[in-house]
Amino acid sequence: MISPVRRKLAVLPLVLLPFATVAACGGENTKTDCNLNACTITFDRGVDASASILGIKAELVSVQGNNVTMKVGGQQITVPVGEAEQSDGFDVQVQSVTKDNVVVKISNSG
């Protein structure tokens, strides 16, 4: 029979897992809002901007008109505003582009 203390200690990592995953989001010149399956990243424009999210690195490379070029997990892709592309097993959707920032949602495609 498993003691109540051992049972609680065994369950504790599972309870804390969602917090560790959300806390793992962050970056340089970005703001992130993450859950277990997706992150919304607001990249600052005109500076080197990147974020480590969902176990990968996402970098803003350039913006030309309505096309956003990014590196996601080391793979470079170009995504038009309002559309989505796949990169390294993730769906990458550009939600908006302004003169100050770019908002992108990256989610697990599986």
Coordinates of all heavy atoms in Angstrom, one line a residue:
M1 N 0.8 -1.2 0.0 CA 0.0 0.0 0.0 C 0.9 1.2 0.0 O 1.9 1.3 0.7 CB -0.9 0.0 1.2 CG -1.8 1.1 1.3 SD -3.0 0.7 2.6 CE -4.3 1.8 2.2
I2 N 0.5 2.2 -0.8 CA 1.3 3.5 -0.9 C 0.8 4.5 0.1 O -0.4 4.7 0.3 CB 1.1 4.1 -2.3 CG1 1.6 3.1 -3.4 CG2 1.8 5.4 -2.4 CD1 1.4 3.6 -4.8
S3 N 1.8 5.0 0.8 CA 1.4 6.0 1.9 C 0.8 7.3 1.3 O 1.1 7.6 0.1 CB 2.6 6.3 2.7 OG 3.5 7.2 2.0
P4 N 0.0 8.0 2.0 CA -0.6 9.2 1.5 C 0.4 10.3 1.1 O 0.3 11.0 0.2 CB -1.5 9.7 2.7 CG -1.8 8.5 3.5 CD -0.6 7.6 3.3
V5 N 1.5 10.3 1.8 CA 2.6 11.3 1.5 C 3.2 10.9 0.2 O 3.4 11.8 -0.6 CB 3.6 11.3 2.7 CG1 4.8 12.2 2.3 CG2 3.0 11.8 4.0
R6 N 3.6 9.7 0.0 CA 4.2 9.3 -1.3 C 3.2 9.5 -2.5 O 3.6 9.9 -3.5 CB 4.6 7.8 -1.3 CG 5.8 7.6 -0.4 CD 6.2 6.1 -0.5 NE 7.1 6.1 -1.7 CZ 7.7 5.0 -2.0 NH1 7.5 3.8 -1.4 NH2 8.5 5.0 -3.1
R7 N 1.9 9.3 -2.3 CA 0.9 9.5 -3.3 C 0.9 11.0 -3.7 O 0.9 11.3 -4.9 CB -0.4 9.0 -2.9 CG -1.5 9.2 -3.9 CD -2.8 8.6 -3.5 NE -2.7 7.2 -3.2 CZ -3.3 6.6 -2.1 NH1 -4.0 7.3 -1.3 NH2 -3.1 5.3 -1.9
K8 N 0.9 11.9 -2.7 CA 0.9 13.3 -2.9 C 2.2 13.7 -3.7 O 2.2 14.6 -4.6 CB 0.7 14.1 -1.6 CG -0.7 14.0 -1.1 CD -0.8 14.7 0.2 CE -2.2 14.5 0.8 NZ -2.4 15.2 2.1
L9 N 3.3 13.2 -3.3 CA 4.6 13.6 -3.9 C 4.6 13.1 -5.4 O 5.2 13.7 -6.2 CB 5.8 13.0 -3.1 CG 6.1 13.7 -1.8 CD1 7.2 12.9 -1.1 CD2 6.4 15.1 -2.0
A10 N 4.0 11.9 -5.6 CA 4.0 11.4 -7.0 C 3.1 12.2 -7.9 O 3.3 12.4 -9.1 CB 3.5 10.0 -7.0
V11 N 2.0 12.8 -7.4 CA 1.1 13.6 -8.1 C 1.6 15.1 -8.3 O 1.3 15.7 -9.3 CB -0.3 13.6 -7.4 CG1 -1.3 14.6 -8.1 CG2 -0.9 12.2 -7.5
L12 N 2.4 15.6 -7.4 CA 2.8 16.9 -7.5 C 3.5 17.4 -8.8 O 3.1 18.4 -9.3 CB 3.8 17.2 -6.3 CG 4.3 18.7 -6.1 CD1 3.1 19.6 -5.9 CD2 5.3 18.8 -5.0
P13 N 4.4 16.6 -9.4 CA 4.9 17.0 -10.7 C 3.9 17.1 -11.8 O 4.0 18.0 -12.6 CB 5.9 15.9 -11.0 CG 6.3 15.3 -9.7 CD 5.1 15.4 -8.9
L14 N 2.9 16.3 -11.8 CA 1.8 16.4 -12.8 C 1.0 17.6 -12.6 O 0.5 18.2 -13.6 CB 0.9 15.1 -12.7 CG 1.6 13.8 -13.0 CD1 0.6 12.7 -12.8 CD2 2.1 13.8 -14.5
V15 N 0.8 18.0 -11.4 CA 0.0 19.3 -11.1 C 0.8 20.5 -11.5 O 0.3 21.4 -12.0 CB -0.3 19.3 -9.6 CG1 -0.9 20.7 -9.2 CG2 -1.3 18.2 -9.2
L16 N 2.1 20.5 -11.3 CA 2.9 21.6 -11.6 C 3.4 21.7 -13.1 O 3.8 22.8 -13.5 CB 4.2 21.6 -10.7 CG 4.0 21.8 -9.2 CD1 5.3 21.6 -8.5 CD2 3.3 23.1 -8.9
L17 N 3.2 20.7 -13.8 CA 3.6 20.6 -15.2 C 3.0 21.8 -16.1 O 3.8 22.4 -16.8 CB 3.3 19.3 -15.9 CG 3.7 19.1 -17.3 CD1 5.2 19.2 -17.4 CD2 3.2 17.8 -17.9
P18 N 1.8 22.1 -16.0 CA 1.2 23.2 -16.8 C 1.9 24.5 -16.5 O 2.2 25.3 -17.3 CB -0.2 23.2 -16.5 CG -0.6 21.9 -16.0 CD 0.7 21.4 -15.3
F19 N 2.2 24.7 -15.2 CA 2.9 26.0 -14.8 C 4.3 26.0 -15.3 O 4.8 27.1 -15.7 CB 2.9 26.1 -13.3 CG 1.5 26.2 -12.7 CD1 1.0 25.2 -12.0 CD2 0.7 27.3 -13.0 CE1 -0.3 25.2 -11.5 CE2 -0.6 27.3 -12.5 CZ -1.1 26.3 -11.7
A20 N 5.0 24.9 -15.4 CA 6.4 24.9 -15.9 C 6.4 25.2 -17.4 O 7.2 25.9 -17.9 CB 7.0 23.6 -15.6
T21 N 5.4 24.6 -18.1 CA 5.3 24.9 -19.5 C 5.0 26.3 -19.8 O 5.7 26.9 -20.7 CB 4.2 24.0 -20.2 OG1 4.5 22.6 -19.8 CG2 4.2 24.1 -21.6
V22 N 4.1 26.9 -19.1 CA 3.8 28.3 -19.4 C 4.9 29.2 -19.0 O 5.3 30.1 -19.7 CB 2.5 28.7 -18.6 CG1 2.2 30.2 -18.7 CG2 1.3 27.9 -19.2
A23 N 5.6 28.9 -17.9 CA 6.7 29.7 -17.4 C 7.9 29.6 -18.3 O 8.8 30.5 -18.3 CB 7.1 29.3 -16.0
A24 N 7.9 28.6 -19.2 CA 9.1 28.4 -20.1 C 9.0 29.3 -21.3 O 9.9 29.4 -22.1 CB 9.1 26.9 -20.6
C25 N 8.0 30.1 -21.4 CA 7.8 31.0 -22.5 C 8.6 32.3 -22.1 O 8.5 32.8 -21.0 CB 6.4 31.4 -22.8 SG 5.4 30.0 -23.4
G26 N 9.3 32.9 -23.1 CA 9.9 34.2 -22.9 C 10.9 34.5 -24.0 O 11.2 33.6 -24.8
G27 N 11.3 35.7 -24.0 CA 12.3 36.1 -25.1 C 12.8 37.5 -25.0 O 12.7 38.1 -23.9
E28 N 13.4 37.9 -26.1 CA 14.1 39.2 -26.1 C 13.3 40.1 -27.1 O 13.0 39.7 -28.2 CB 15.5 38.9 -26.7 CG 16.3 40.2 -26.8 CD 17.7 39.9 -27.3 OE1 18.3 38.8 -27.0 OE2 18.2 40.7 -28.1
N29 N 12.9 41.2 -26.6 CA 12.1 42.2 -27.3 C 10.7 41.6 -27.8 O 10.3 41.9 -28.9 CB 12.9 42.8 -28.5 CG 14.1 43.5 -28.1 OD1 14.0 44.4 -27.2 ND2 15.2 43.2 -28.6
T30 N 10.2 40.8 -26.9 CA 8.9 40.1 -27.2 C 8.0 40.1 -25.9 O 8.5 40.2 -24.8 CB 9.0 38.7 -27.7 OG1 9.7 37.9 -26.6 CG2 9.8 38.6 -28.9
K31 N 6.7 39.9 -26.1 CA 5.8 39.6 -25.1 C 5.2 38.3 -25.5 O 4.8 38.1 -26.6 CB 4.8 40.7 -24.9 CG 5.3 42.0 -24.4 CD 4.2 43.0 -24.4 CE 4.9 44.4 -24.1 NZ 4.3 45.5 -24.9
T32 N 5.0 37.3 -24.5 CA 4.4 36.0 -24.8 C 3.3 35.8 -23.9 O 3.2 36.2 -22.8 CB 5.5 34.9 -24.7 OG1 6.0 34.9 -23.3 CG2 6.6 35.1 -25.7
D33 N 2.3 35.1 -24.5 CA 1.1 34.6 -23.8 C 0.9 33.1 -24.2 O 0.5 32.9 -25.3 CB -0.1 35.4 -24.1 CG -1.3 35.0 -23.3 OD1 -1.2 34.3 -22.3 OD2 -2.4 35.3 -23.8
C34 N 1.3 32.2 -23.3 CA 1.3 30.8 -23.6 C 0.3 30.0 -22.8 O 0.0 30.3 -21.7 CB 2.7 30.2 -23.4 SG 3.9 30.9 -24.5
N35 N -0.2 28.9 -23.4 CA -0.8 27.8 -22.7 C -0.1 26.5 -23.1 O 0.9 26.5 -23.7 CB -2.3 27.8 -23.0 CG -2.7 27.6 -24.4 OD1 -2.0 26.8 -25.1 ND2 -3.7 28.2 -24.9
L36 N -0.7 25.4 -22.8 CA -0.1 24.1 -23.1 C 0.2 23.8 -24.6 O 1.1 23.1 -24.9 CB -0.9 23.0 -22.5 CG -0.9 22.9 -21.0 CD1 -1.8 21.8 -20.5 CD2 0.5 22.8 -20.4
N37 N -0.7 24.3 -25.5 CA -0.6 24.0 -26.9 C -0.3 25.1 -27.8 O 0.0 24.9 -29.0 CB -1.9 23.4 -27.3 CG -2.2 22.1 -26.6 OD1 -1.4 21.2 -26.4 ND2 -3.5 21.9 -26.1
A38 N -0.3 26.4 -27.3 CA 0.0 27.5 -28.2 C 0.5 28.7 -27.5 O 0.3 28.8 -26.3 CB -1.4 27.9 -28.9
C39 N 1.2 29.5 -28.2 CA 1.7 30.8 -27.7 C 1.4 31.9 -28.7 O 1.6 31.7 -29.9 CB 3.2 30.7 -27.5 SG 3.8 29.7 -26.1
T40 N 1.0 33.0 -28.1 CA 0.9 34.2 -28.9 C 2.0 35.1 -28.6 O 2.3 35.4 -27.4 CB -0.5 35.0 -28.6 OG1 -1.5 34.1 -29.0 CG2 -0.6 36.2 -29.5
I41 N 2.8 35.5 -29.6 CA 4.0 36.3 -29.4 C 3.8 37.6 -30.0 O 3.4 37.7 -31.2 CB 5.2 35.6 -30.0 CG1 5.3 34.1 -29.6 CG2 6.5 36.4 -29.7 CD1 6.2 33.3 -30.4
T42 N 4.1 38.7 -29.3 CA 4.2 40.1 -29.9 C 5.6 40.4 -30.0 O 6.3 40.6 -29.0 CB 3.4 41.1 -29.0 OG1 2.1 40.6 -28.8 CG2 3.4 42.4 -29.6
F43 N 6.1 40.5 -31.2 CA 7.5 40.9 -31.5 C 7.6 42.4 -31.7 O 6.8 43.0 -32.4 CB 7.9 40.2 -32.8 CG 8.1 38.7 -32.8 CD1 7.0 37.9 -33.2 CD2 9.2 38.1 -32.4 CE1 7.2 36.5 -33.2 CE2 9.4 36.7 -32.3 CZ 8.3 35.9 -32.8
D44 N 8.6 43.0 -31.1 CA 8.9 44.4 -31.4 C 9.6 44.5 -32.7 O 10.4 43.6 -33.1 CB 9.8 45.0 -30.3 CG 9.2 45.1 -28.9 OD1 7.9 45.0 -28.9 OD2 9.9 45.2 -28.0
R45 N 9.2 45.5 -33.5 CA 9.8 45.7 -34.8 C 11.0 46.6 -34.7 O 11.1 47.4 -33.8 CB 8.8 46.3 -35.8 CG 7.8 45.2 -36.2 CD 6.9 45.7 -37.3 NE 7.6 46.0 -38.5 CZ 7.0 46.4 -39.6 NH1 5.7 46.6 -39.6 NH2 7.7 46.6 -40.7
G46 N 12.0 46.4 -35.6 CA 13.1 47.3 -35.7 C 14.3 46.9 -34.8 O 15.3 47.6 -34.7
V47 N 14.1 45.7 -34.1 CA 15.2 45.2 -33.2 C 15.3 43.7 -33.4 O 14.4 43.1 -34.0 CB 14.9 45.5 -31.7 CG1 14.9 47.0 -31.5 CG2 13.5 44.9 -31.3
D48 N 16.3 43.1 -32.9 CA 16.4 41.6 -32.9 C 15.4 41.1 -31.9 O 15.4 41.5 -30.7 CB 17.8 41.2 -32.5 CG 18.8 41.4 -33.5 OD1 18.5 41.5 -34.7 OD2 20.0 41.5 -33.2
A49 N 14.4 40.4 -32.4 CA 13.3 39.9 -31.5 C 13.2 38.4 -31.7 O 13.1 37.9 -32.8 CB 12.0 40.6 -31.8
S50 N 13.2 37.7 -30.5 CA 13.0 36.2 -30.5 C 12.4 35.8 -29.2 O 12.4 36.5 -28.2 CB 14.4 35.5 -30.7 OG 15.2 35.8 -29.6
A51 N 11.8 34.6 -29.3 CA 11.2 34.0 -28.1 C 11.4 32.5 -28.1 O 11.4 31.8 -29.1 CB 9.7 34.3 -28.1
S52 N 11.6 31.9 -26.9 CA 11.7 30.5 -26.7 C 10.4 30.1 -26.2 O 10.0 30.4 -25.1 CB 12.8 30.1 -25.7 OG 14.1 30.5 -26.3
I53 N 9.7 29.3 -27.1 CA 8.3 28.9 -26.7 C 8.1 27.4 -27.1 O 8.6 27.0 -28.1 CB 7.2 29.8 -27.4 CG1 7.5 30.0 -28.9 CG2 7.2 31.1 -26.7 CD1 6.7 29.1 -29.7
L54 N 7.3 26.7 -26.4 CA 7.0 25.3 -26.7 C 8.2 24.4 -27.1 O 8.1 23.6 -28.0 CB 5.9 25.3 -27.9 CG 4.6 26.1 -27.6 CD1 3.8 26.2 -28.9 CD2 3.8 25.5 -26.5
G55 N 9.3 24.7 -26.5 CA 10.5 23.9 -26.8 C 11.3 24.3 -28.1 O 12.2 23.6 -28.5
I56 N 10.9 25.4 -28.7 CA 11.6 25.9 -29.9 C 11.9 27.4 -29.8 O 11.4 28.1 -28.9 CB 10.7 25.7 -31.2 CG1 9.4 26.4 -31.1 CG2 10.6 24.2 -31.5 CD1 8.7 26.5 -32.4
K57 N 12.7 27.9 -30.7 CA 13.0 29.3 -30.8 C 12.3 29.9 -32.0 O 12.3 29.3 -33.1 CB 14.5 29.5 -30.9 CG 14.9 31.0 -30.9 CD 16.4 31.2 -30.9 CE 16.8 32.7 -30.8 NZ 18.2 32.8 -30.8
A58 N 11.6 31.0 -31.8 CA 10.9 31.7 -32.9 C 11.6 33.1 -33.0 O 11.7 33.8 -32.0 CB 9.4 31.8 -32.6
E59 N 12.0 33.4 -34.2 CA 12.6 34.7 -34.4 C 11.9 35.5 -35.5 O 11.6 34.9 -36.6 CB 14.1 34.5 -34.9 CG 15.0 33.8 -33.9 CD 16.3 33.5 -34.5 OE1 17.1 34.5 -34.7 OE2 16.6 32.3 -34.8
L60 N 11.8 36.8 -35.4 CA 11.3 37.7 -36.4 C 12.5 38.1 -37.3 O 13.4 38.6 -36.8 CB 10.6 38.9 -35.8 CG 10.1 39.9 -36.8 CD1 8.9 39.3 -37.6 CD2 9.6 41.1 -36.1
V61 N 12.4 37.7 -38.6 CA 13.5 38.0 -39.5 C 13.2 39.4 -40.2 O 14.1 40.3 -40.2 CB 13.7 36.9 -40.5 CG1 14.8 37.3 -41.5 CG2 14.1 35.6 -39.8
S62 N 12.0 39.5 -40.8 CA 11.7 40.7 -41.6 C 10.3 40.8 -41.8 O 9.5 39.8 -41.8 CB 12.5 40.8 -42.9 OG 12.0 39.8 -43.8
V63 N 9.8 42.0 -42.2 CA 8.5 42.3 -42.6 C 8.5 43.1 -43.9 O 9.2 44.1 -43.9 CB 7.7 43.1 -41.5 CG1 6.3 43.4 -42.0 CG2 7.7 42.3 -40.2
Q64 N 7.9 42.6 -44.9 CA 7.8 43.3 -46.2 C 6.3 43.4 -46.6 O 5.8 42.4 -47.0 CB 8.6 42.7 -47.3 CG 10.1 42.7 -47.0 CD 11.0 42.1 -48.1 OE1 10.4 41.5 -49.0 NE2 12.3 42.3 -48.0
G65 N 5.7 44.6 -46.5 CA 4.3 44.7 -46.7 C 3.5 43.9 -45.8 O 3.6 44.0 -44.6
N66 N 2.7 42.9 -46.3 CA 1.9 42.0 -45.5 C 2.5 40.7 -45.3 O 1.9 39.7 -44.8 CB 0.5 41.9 -46.1 CG -0.3 43.1 -45.9 OD1 -0.2 43.8 -44.9 ND2 -1.3 43.3 -46.8
N67 N 3.8 40.5 -45.7 CA 4.5 39.2 -45.5 C 5.5 39.3 -44.4 O 6.4 40.2 -44.4 CB 5.2 38.9 -46.8 CG 4.2 38.5 -47.9 OD1 3.3 37.8 -47.7 ND2 4.5 39.0 -49.1
V68 N 5.4 38.3 -43.5 CA 6.3 38.2 -42.3 C 7.2 37.0 -42.5 O 6.7 35.9 -42.7 CB 5.5 38.1 -41.0 CG1 6.4 37.9 -39.8 CG2 4.6 39.3 -40.8
T69 N 8.5 37.3 -42.4 CA 9.5 36.2 -42.5 C 10.0 35.9 -41.1 O 10.4 36.8 -40.4 CB 10.6 36.5 -43.5 OG1 10.1 36.8 -44.8 CG2 11.6 35.4 -43.6
M70 N 10.0 34.6 -40.8 CA 10.4 34.2 -39.4 C 11.2 32.9 -39.5 O 11.2 32.2 -40.5 CB 9.1 33.8 -38.6 CG 8.2 34.9 -38.4 SD 6.8 34.4 -37.3 CE 7.7 33.8 -35.9
K71 N 12.0 32.7 -38.5 CA 12.6 31.4 -38.3 C 11.9 30.7 -37.1 O 11.8 31.3 -36.0 CB 14.1 31.6 -37.9 CG 15.0 31.8 -39.1 CD 16.4 31.8 -38.7 CE 17.3 32.1 -39.8 NZ 18.8 32.1 -39.4
V72 N 11.4 29.6 -37.3 CA 10.7 28.8 -36.3 C 11.4 27.4 -36.2 O 11.3 26.7 -37.2 CB 9.2 28.6 -36.6 CG1 8.5 27.8 -35.6 CG2 8.5 30.0 -36.8
G73 N 12.0 27.2 -35.1 CA 12.7 25.9 -34.9 C 13.8 25.8 -35.9 O 14.1 24.7 -36.3
G74 N 14.4 26.9 -36.4 CA 15.5 26.8 -37.3 C 15.1 26.8 -38.8 O 16.0 26.9 -39.7
Q75 N 13.8 26.7 -39.1 CA 13.3 26.7 -40.4 C 12.8 28.1 -40.8 O 12.0 28.6 -40.0 CB 12.3 25.6 -40.6 CG 11.7 25.5 -42.0 CD 10.6 24.4 -42.1 OE1 10.3 23.8 -41.1 NE2 10.1 24.3 -43.3
Q76 N 13.2 28.7 -41.9 CA 12.7 30.0 -42.2 C 11.5 29.9 -43.1 O 11.4 29.1 -44.0 CB 13.8 30.8 -43.0 CG 13.4 32.2 -43.3 CD 14.6 33.1 -43.7 OE1 15.6 33.1 -42.9 NE2 14.5 33.8 -44.8
I77 N 10.4 30.6 -42.8 CA 9.2 30.7 -43.5 C 8.7 32.1 -43.7 O 9.1 33.0 -42.9 CB 8.1 29.8 -42.8 CG1 7.8 30.4 -41.4 CG2 8.4 28.4 -42.8 CD1 6.5 29.8 -40.8
T78 N 7.9 32.3 -44.7 CA 7.2 33.6 -44.9 C 5.7 33.4 -44.9 O 5.2 32.5 -45.6 CB 7.6 34.2 -46.3 OG1 9.1 34.4 -46.3 CG2 7.0 35.5 -46.5
V79 N 5.1 34.2 -44.0 CA 3.6 34.0 -43.8 C 2.9 35.3 -44.0 O 3.3 36.3 -43.4 CB 3.3 33.5 -42.4 CG1 1.9 33.2 -42.2 CG2 4.2 32.3 -42.0
P80 N 1.9 35.4 -44.9 CA 1.1 36.6 -45.1 C 0.2 36.9 -43.9 O -0.2 35.9 -43.2 CB 0.3 36.3 -46.3 CG 0.9 35.1 -47.0 CD 1.6 34.4 -45.9
V81 N 0.0 38.1 -43.6 CA -0.9 38.5 -42.5 C -2.2 37.8 -42.7 O -2.8 37.8 -43.8 CB -1.0 40.0 -42.4 CG1 -2.0 40.4 -41.3 CG2 0.3 40.7 -42.1
G82 N -2.8 37.2 -41.6 CA -4.1 36.6 -41.6 C -4.0 35.2 -42.1 O -5.1 34.5 -42.1
E83 N -2.9 34.7 -42.5 CA -2.8 33.3 -42.9 C -1.9 32.5 -42.0 O -1.3 33.0 -41.1 CB -2.2 33.3 -44.4 CG -3.2 34.0 -45.4 CD -2.8 33.8 -46.8 OE1 -2.1 32.8 -47.1 OE2 -3.2 34.7 -47.6
A84 N -1.8 31.2 -42.3 CA -0.9 30.3 -41.5 C -0.1 29.4 -42.4 O -0.5 29.1 -43.5 CB -1.8 29.5 -40.6
E85 N 1.0 29.0 -41.9 CA 1.9 28.1 -42.5 C 2.4 27.1 -41.5 O 2.3 27.4 -40.3 CB 3.1 28.8 -43.2 CG 2.8 29.7 -44.3 CD 2.4 29.0 -45.6 OE1 2.8 27.9 -45.8 OE2 1.7 29.7 -46.4
Q86 N 3.0 26.0 -41.9 CA 3.5 25.0 -41.0 C 5.1 25.1 -41.0 O 5.6 25.3 -42.1 CB 3.1 23.6 -41.3 CG 1.6 23.3 -40.9 CD 1.3 21.8 -40.8 OE1 2.0 21.0 -41.5 NE2 0.4 21.5 -40.0
S87 N 5.7 24.9 -39.9 CA 7.1 24.9 -39.8 C 7.5 24.0 -38.6 O 7.1 24.2 -37.5 CB 7.6 26.3 -39.5 OG 9.0 26.3 -39.3
D88 N 8.3 23.0 -38.9 CA 8.9 22.2 -37.8 C 7.9 21.6 -36.9 O 8.0 21.5 -35.7 CB 9.9 23.0 -37.0 CG 10.9 22.1 -36.3 OD1 11.2 21.0 -36.8 OD2 11.4 22.6 -35.2
G89 N 6.7 21.2 -37.5 CA 5.6 20.6 -36.7 C 4.7 21.5 -36.0 O 3.9 21.1 -35.1
F90 N 4.8 22.8 -36.3 CA 4.0 23.9 -35.7 C 3.2 24.6 -36.7 O 3.7 24.8 -37.8 CB 4.9 24.8 -34.9 CG 5.5 24.2 -33.7 CD1 6.7 23.6 -33.8 CD2 4.9 24.2 -32.4 CE1 7.3 23.0 -32.7 CE2 5.4 23.6 -31.3 CZ 6.7 23.0 -31.4
D91 N 2.0 25.1 -36.3 CA 1.2 26.0 -37.1 C 1.6 27.4 -36.8 O 1.6 27.8 -35.6 CB -0.3 25.8 -36.9 CG -0.8 24.5 -37.5 OD1 -0.2 24.0 -38.5 OD2 -1.7 23.9 -36.9
V92 N 2.0 28.2 -37.7 CA 2.4 29.6 -37.5 C 1.4 30.5 -38.2 O 1.3 30.5 -39.4 CB 3.8 29.8 -38.0 CG1 4.3 31.3 -37.8 CG2 4.8 28.8 -37.4
Q93 N 0.7 31.3 -37.4 CA -0.3 32.3 -38.0 C 0.1 33.7 -37.6 O 0.3 34.0 -36.4 CB -1.7 31.9 -37.4 CG -2.8 32.9 -37.9 CD -4.1 32.7 -37.3 OE1 -4.2 32.1 -36.2 NE2 -5.1 33.1 -37.9
V94 N 0.2 34.5 -38.6 CA 0.4 36.0 -38.4 C -0.9 36.6 -38.2 O -1.8 36.6 -39.1 CB 1.2 36.6 -39.6 CG1 1.4 38.1 -39.3 CG2 2.6 35.9 -39.7
Q95 N -1.1 37.2 -37.0 CA -2.4 37.8 -36.6 C -2.5 39.2 -37.0 O -3.5 39.7 -37.4 CB -2.7 37.6 -35.2 CG -2.9 36.1 -34.8 CD -3.2 35.9 -33.4 OE1 -2.9 36.6 -32.5 NE2 -4.0 34.8 -33.1
S96 N -1.4 40.0 -36.8 CA -1.4 41.4 -37.2 C 0.0 41.9 -37.3 O 1.0 41.4 -36.8 CB -2.2 42.2 -36.1 OG -1.5 42.2 -34.9
V97 N 0.1 43.0 -38.1 CA 1.4 43.7 -38.3 C 1.1 45.2 -38.2 O 0.1 45.7 -38.8 CB 2.0 43.5 -39.7 CG1 3.2 44.3 -39.9 CG2 2.4 42.0 -39.8
T98 N 1.8 45.9 -37.3 CA 1.7 47.4 -37.2 C 3.1 47.9 -37.3 O 4.1 47.2 -37.5 CB 1.1 47.8 -35.8 OG1 2.1 47.5 -34.8 CG2 -0.2 47.1 -35.5
K99 N 3.2 49.3 -37.3 CA 4.6 49.9 -37.4 C 5.4 49.5 -36.2 O 6.7 49.6 -36.3 CB 4.5 51.4 -37.7 CG 3.9 52.1 -36.5 CD 3.9 53.6 -36.8 CE 3.4 54.4 -35.6 NZ 4.4 54.8 -34.7
D100 N 4.8 49.2 -35.1 CA 5.6 48.9 -33.9 C 5.8 47.4 -33.6 O 6.8 47.1 -32.9 CB 4.9 49.6 -32.7 CG 4.8 51.1 -32.8 OD1 5.8 51.7 -33.3 OD2 3.8 51.6 -32.4
N101 N 4.9 46.6 -34.0 CA 5.0 45.1 -33.6 C 4.3 44.2 -34.6 O 3.6 44.6 -35.5 CB 4.5 44.9 -32.2 CG 3.1 45.3 -32.0 OD1 2.2 45.0 -32.7 ND2 2.8 46.1 -30.9
V102 N 4.6 42.9 -34.4 CA 4.1 41.8 -35.2 C 3.5 40.8 -34.2 O 4.2 40.4 -33.3 CB 5.1 41.2 -36.1 CG1 4.5 40.0 -36.8 CG2 5.7 42.2 -37.1
V103 N 2.3 40.4 -34.4 CA 1.7 39.4 -33.5 C 1.5 38.1 -34.2 O 0.9 38.1 -35.3 CB 0.3 39.9 -32.9 CG1 -0.3 38.9 -32.0 CG2 0.5 41.2 -32.2
V104 N 2.1 37.0 -33.6 CA 2.1 35.7 -34.3 C 1.6 34.7 -33.2 O 1.9 34.7 -32.1 CB 3.5 35.3 -34.7 CG1 3.5 34.0 -35.3 CG2 4.0 36.4 -35.7
K105 N 0.8 33.8 -33.7 CA 0.3 32.6 -32.8 C 1.0 31.4 -33.4 O 0.9 31.1 -34.6 CB -1.2 32.5 -32.9 CG -1.7 31.4 -32.0 CD -3.2 31.3 -31.9 CE -3.6 30.2 -31.0 NZ -5.1 30.1 -30.9
I106 N 1.7 30.7 -32.5 CA 2.3 29.4 -32.8 C 1.7 28.3 -32.0 O 1.6 28.4 -30.8 CB 3.9 29.5 -32.6 CG1 4.4 30.6 -33.5 CG2 4.5 28.2 -32.9 CD1 5.9 30.8 -33.3
S107 N 1.3 27.3 -32.7 CA 0.6 26.2 -31.9 C 1.1 24.8 -32.5 O 1.6 24.7 -33.6 CB -0.9 26.3 -32.1 OG -1.3 26.3 -33.4
N108 N 0.9 23.8 -31.6 CA 1.3 22.4 -32.1 C 0.3 22.1 -33.2 O -0.9 22.3 -33.0 CB 1.1 21.5 -30.9 CG 2.2 21.6 -29.9 OD1 3.4 21.9 -30.2 ND2 1.8 21.5 -28.6
S109 N 0.8 21.5 -34.2 CA 0.0 21.1 -35.3 C -0.6 19.7 -35.2 O -1.4 19.3 -36.0 CB 0.7 21.2 -36.7 OG 1.8 20.4 -36.7
G110 N -0.2 19.0 -34.1 CA -0.7 17.6 -34.0 C -1.7 17.5 -32.9 O -2.4 17.5 -32.3

